[in-house]
Amino acid sequence: MTRIGIFGWGNLGKAVADNLLNFPDMQLKVIFSRRPQVVAAQAPKGIAVASVSDMEKWTDKIDVLLLCSGSATDLPEQTPAAVKLFNVVDSFDTHANIPTHFAAVDKAAKESSHLGLISAGWDPGLFSLSRALFNAFLPNGVDYTFWGKGVSQGHSDAIRRVAGVKRGVQYTVPRDTAIERVRSGEQPALSTREKHLRECFVVAENGADCAKIEAEIKNMPNYFSDYDTVVHFISEEEFEHDHKQMPHGGFVLRSGNNTEEYKSLLELNIKLDSNPHFTSGVLLAYARAVKRLFDNGARGCITVFDVPPSALFVGTPDDMRKHLL
Amino acid sequence: MTRIGIFGWGNLGKAVADNLLNFPDMQLKVIFSRRPQVVAAQAPKGIAVASVSDMEKWTDKIDVLLLCSGSATDLPEQTPAAVKLFNVVDSFDTHANIPTHFAAVDKAAKESSHLGLISAGWDPGLFSLSRALFNAFLPNGVDYTFWGKGVSQGHSDAIRRVAGVKRGVQYTVPRDTAIERVRSGEQPALSTREKHLRECFVVAENGADCAKIEAEIKNMPNYFSDYDTVVHFISEEEFEHDHKQMPHGGFVLRSGNNTEEYKSLLELNIKLDSNPHFTSGVLLAYARAVKRLFDNGARGCITVFDVPPSALFVGTPDDMRKHLL
């Protein structure tokens, strides 16, 4: 049994708790929160809820702590701090800041003789693994990553900051025409606008100027101005009925040449009803691996690139060779 | 520089030599053959060609030997024998016999303190990795593997043994309807016949009875009788023009549930102009990994499941975290 702790009781932390049923060798022991009283009312039966300030008392009671907070401000602080006490897994997903985050976690983990795995999930995570394998096997080629159709939290937040918007959600939509061009073997250079469409569903405040809202969204720099954006105004009922889920997905493609004459096209694509629920499964599989690698002596910070697939799977190496190879 | 040897100068061995251009850290040193005089006339300039009986003289001149022979009778003998002298990579693909082959290679490799990686390629290989990752991340689900459209050597050989057949090739064709049912999230139970179609292109001998040939192919047990089979009779010119390549490809899908409510669908698909050329790239990436893992002390037999992705990629771990994670 691998004993698990969760830090953070948002969408991802709750999804980890839901998904544990599918990981029979893992057991949730404790949820750490900055609001333990609130969380205690929602936590699964029999699971301890503890304040973040009491984390030190749990060092010999869990094997791996899953950090389920946000990448913007929480994880850069929390992961290096937590790895001083526990082996940890996080889903840090600010791609540009991964080297800095890695260095901070590596230093803290080595000082305390723990193992920390950062940036697990699907991108970074499963998509990164696909990019790495595709690049290793087909070195002469071009990578393409498309995201969606799925909810982008950052863009949804941006919509909701526009005056007159009561509720709003933004879907990132990959363009079929762009994906088909890549699949044709063409190796096109694709602009931002050609790759993704942004589709917004907005509930306006009573009496708000919808034309003004639409223009403000479409012209918002960084978020929307480089894209073709569609804004739909809908009723609160429709929003409540159709836009409360967090589906996501995407595509990783590599189009390349083995020789001048012979091309290969490699594609991973995923379709998720619930982004946090799938992500939680990746985190749990890497928690299993972290326990195994730690028991074998690994220390410091690692990523998905450092983990052999055999460490992720519940069965034995014999099982894997027999049934999955 | 990783110094490479090739054993066997068939389609795969030649493809390895073609593909080395894309692996700047690897260098072909020698081709071993049972017909060294024949191979010497075809080998790339400056590459030694040696008789199999002289392999012992090369033990300190290459780092990894790639075994490029067939799985039916050659590799079960050759891989355990070769790993007594060298670190090796093979593409053993008789799935049912992998445990036996693994045990034989493991014993020989441990006795001689070498490292052998078996069953590299795309299935087993990239497809196995996808199955393992998909199972680890989404434990509650169903796996599907489809092959093609591509040439099956075994089925093509079977056609050519039918009386009156001058030339013949068989394409395994995955059925779109079956793949679409899986993609819909249905998790169907699919029969052999529902998953793949077998399409044959035959050049008949002058005066042969085509109806008889067609019936004999379609009713052939093991190879065709469990499938819907289409037989096309074509001219030798058309055969020569359209059917001399070895394209292949396929699909690995896993359809599963994170919770009762939330499903995920994971799919890898690949499309290869030349099966041996893509396979050769996988072998070369694993040869790189075998060298690195051997240098770190690994001995015995391993498979793709035992290799961290970081060992496969040409760049440093820093590069990978920066550009691929």
Side-chain angles (χ1 to χ4, degrees):
Chain A
M1 275 290 168
T2 299
R3 300 165 302 168
I4 296 293
I6 293 174
F7 185 154
W9 192 245
N11 290 323
L12 183 56
K14 290 173 189 167
V16 169
D18 288 347
N19 208 340
L20 267 161
L21 271 179
N22 299 313
F23 292 78
D25 56 329
M26 313 189 83
Q27 201 171 15
L28 178 59
K29 289 286 180 185
V30 59
I31 301 163
F32 295 112
S33 171
R34 285 170 290 196
R35 309 162 301 148
Q37 268 112 351
V38 177
V39 173
Q42 304 171 6
K45 261 198 176 164
I47 306 300
V49 177
S51 164
V52 169
S53 56
D54 288 335
M55 277 173 58
E56 288 186 27
K57 298 179 188 159
W58 286 83
T59 50
D60 58 350
K61 297 192 186 75
I62 61 173
D63 298 304
V64 185
L65 180 66
L66 302 189
L67 292 146
C68 299
S69 319
S71 295
T73 56
D74 290 340
L75 294 176
E77 301 286 329
Q78 290 172 1
T79 310
V83 84
K84 291 181 183 165
L85 302 172
F86 305 102
N87 299 318
V88 304
V89 173
D90 83 12
S91 61
F92 184 77
D93 66 0
T94 312
H95 290 258
N97 296 342
I98 284 174
T100 308
H101 189 55
F102 181 91
V105 176
D106 193 50
K107 182 167 181 288
K110 281 180 176 154
E111 282 169 9
S112 64
S113 201
H114 284 114
L115 183 62
L117 185 141
I118 62 163
S119 302
W122 58 272
D123 194 2
L126 177 56
F127 277 22
S128 321
L129 290 169
S130 300
R131 284 188 287 263
L133 295 173
F134 292 175
N135 273 270
F137 301 155
L138 185 62
N140 178 18
V142 184
D143 287 319
Y144 297 89
T145 303
F146 295 88
W147 297 277
K149 182 182 176 176
V151 175
S152 161
Q153 292 302 337
H155 289 80
S156 298
D157 290 345
I159 291 177
R160 290 190 287 260
R161 287 192 296 263
V162 172
V165 171
K166 188 173 181 189
R167 304 181 69 174
V169 63
Q170 193 266 187
Y171 297 90
T172 305
V173 184
R175 286 184 182 269
D176 288 342
T177 47
I179 295 175
E180 287 310 322
R181 282 180 66 190
V182 176
R183 284 182 180 149
S184 77
E186 185 195 334
Q187 301 185 7
L190 295 168
S191 69
T192 298
R193 194 180 296 274
E194 286 172 307
K195 288 182 72 184
H196 296 94
L197 183 81
R198 300 209 172 274
E199 192 171 18
C200 309
F201 292 83
V202 172
V203 180
E205 302 275 10
N206 268 339
D209 179 345
C210 290
K212 192 162 167 270
I213 291 173
E214 182 168 341
E216 199 169 327
I217 292 174
K218 287 185 171 178
N219 295 315
M220 198 184 295
N222 301 322
Y223 287 94
F224 293 99
S225 61
D226 291 340
Y227 295 86
D228 290 339
T229 302
V230 179
V231 181
H232 306 279
F233 290 93
I234 61 174
S235 68
E236 189 138 25
E237 292 68 35
E238 189 180 338
F239 190 94
E240 194 65 33
H241 189 267
D242 295 342
H243 300 286
K244 292 292 290 291
Q245 304 297 319
M246 282 173 286
H248 221 312
F251 303 76
V252 176
L253 296 113
R254 188 165 173 85
S255 174
N257 282 66
N258 300 110
T259 64
E260 236 172 88
E261 186 180 2
Y262 297 123
K263 290 184 174 188
S264 293
L265 186 79
L266 313 176
E267 173 176 344
L268 172 84
N269 68 65
I270 69 174
K271 212 172 84 185
L272 315 174
D273 284 353
S274 167
N275 183 354
H277 280 84
F278 179 72
T279 301
S280 71
V282 181
L283 261 62
L284 283 164
Y286 279 104
R288 176 187 288 144
V290 160
K291 166 78 160 66
R292 291 174 174 172
L293 297 174
F294 177 82
D295 288 347
N296 280 332
R299 300 293 185 271
C301 188
I302 58 174
T303 73
V304 298
F305 295 146
D306 303 302
V307 176
S310 56
L312 293 166
F313 187 67
V314 63
T316 66
D318 277 343
D319 284 343
M320 288 187 81
R321 285 192 293 270
K322 220 166 172 174
H323 301 296
L324 295 172
L325 196 62
Chain B
M1 275 290 170
T2 299
R3 300 165 301 167
I4 296 294
I6 293 173
F7 185 153
W9 192 245
N11 291 321
L12 183 56
K14 290 173 190 166
V16 169
D18 288 348
N19 208 338
L20 267 160
L21 272 180
N22 298 311
F23 292 78
D25 57 331
M26 312 188 85
Q27 201 172 13
L28 178 60
K29 288 288 181 184
V30 59
I31 301 163
F32 295 113
S33 171
R34 285 168 292 196
R35 308 163 299 149
Q37 267 111 351
V38 178
V39 173
Q42 304 171 5
K45 260 196 174 167
I47 306 301
V49 177
S51 165
V52 169
S53 55
D54 288 335
M55 277 172 59
E56 287 185 30
K57 298 178 189 160
W58 287 83
T59 51
D60 59 350
K61 297 192 186 77
I62 61 174
D63 298 304
V64 185
L65 179 66
L66 301 189
L67 293 146
C68 300
S69 320
S71 295
T73 55
D74 289 340
L75 294 176
E77 302 285 329
Q78 290 172 1
T79 311
V83 83
K84 290 180 185 166
L85 302 172
F86 304 102
N87 299 318
V88 304
V89 173
D90 82 12
S91 62
F92 185 78
D93 66 359
T94 312
H95 289 258
N97 297 342
I98 285 173
T100 308
H101 189 56
F102 182 91
V105 176
D106 194 48
K107 184 168 179 286
K110 281 179 177 154
E111 282 169 9
S112 63
S113 200
H114 285 114
L115 183 62
L117 185 142
I118 62 164
S119 302
W122 56 273
D123 195 2
L126 177 55
F127 277 23
S128 321
L129 290 169
S130 301
R131 283 188 288 263
L133 296 172
F134 292 175
N135 273 269
F137 300 155
L138 185 63
N140 177 18
V142 183
D143 287 319
Y144 297 88
T145 303
F146 295 89
W147 296 276
K149 181 181 176 175
V151 174
S152 161
Q153 291 303 338
H155 289 80
S156 298
D157 290 344
I159 292 177
R160 290 190 287 261
R161 287 192 296 263
V162 171
V165 171
K166 189 173 181 190
R167 305 182 67 172
V169 64
Q170 193 266 187
Y171 297 90
T172 305
V173 184
R175 286 184 182 270
D176 288 342
T177 47
I179 295 174
E180 287 309 322
R181 283 180 65 191
V182 176
R183 285 181 180 151
S184 76
E186 185 195 336
Q187 300 186 6
L190 294 168
S191 69
T192 297
R193 192 180 297 275
E194 285 172 309
K195 289 181 71 185
H196 295 95
L197 183 80
R198 299 208 172 276
E199 191 170 20
C200 309
F201 292 83
V202 172
V203 180
E205 302 276 9
N206 267 340
D209 179 345
C210 289
K212 192 163 165 266
I213 291 173
E214 182 169 342
E216 198 169 330
I217 291 173
K218 288 185 171 178
N219 295 315
M220 198 184 296
N222 301 321
Y223 287 93
F224 293 100
S225 60
D226 291 340
Y227 294 85
D228 290 339
T229 301
V230 179
V231 181
H232 306 278
F233 289 93
I234 61 174
S235 69
E236 188 138 25
E237 291 67 37
E238 188 179 338
F239 190 95
E240 194 65 31
H241 189 267
D242 294 343
H243 300 287
K244 293 292 290 290
Q245 305 295 319
M246 282 174 286
H248 221 311
F251 303 77
V252 176
L253 296 113
R254 187 165 173 86
S255 175
N257 283 66
N258 300 112
T259 65
E260 236 173 88
E261 187 181 359
Y262 297 123
K263 290 185 174 184
S264 292
L265 186 78
L266 313 176
E267 172 176 345
L268 171 84
N269 68 65
I270 70 174
K271 210 172 86 185
L272 314 174
D273 284 353
S274 167
N275 182 355
H277 281 84
F278 179 72
T279 301
S280 71
V282 181
L283 261 61
L284 284 164
Y286 278 104
R288 176 187 288 144
V290 160
K291 167 77 160 67
R292 291 174 174 172
L293 296 175
F294 177 81
D295 288 346
N296 280 332
R299 299 293 184 270
C301 188
I302 58 174
T303 73
V304 297
F305 295 145
D306 303 303
V307 176
S310 56
L312 292 165
F313 186 68
V314 63
T316 66
D318 276 343
D319 284 342
M320 289 187 80
R321 286 191 292 270
K322 221 166 172 176
H323 301 296
L324 296 172
L325 195 62

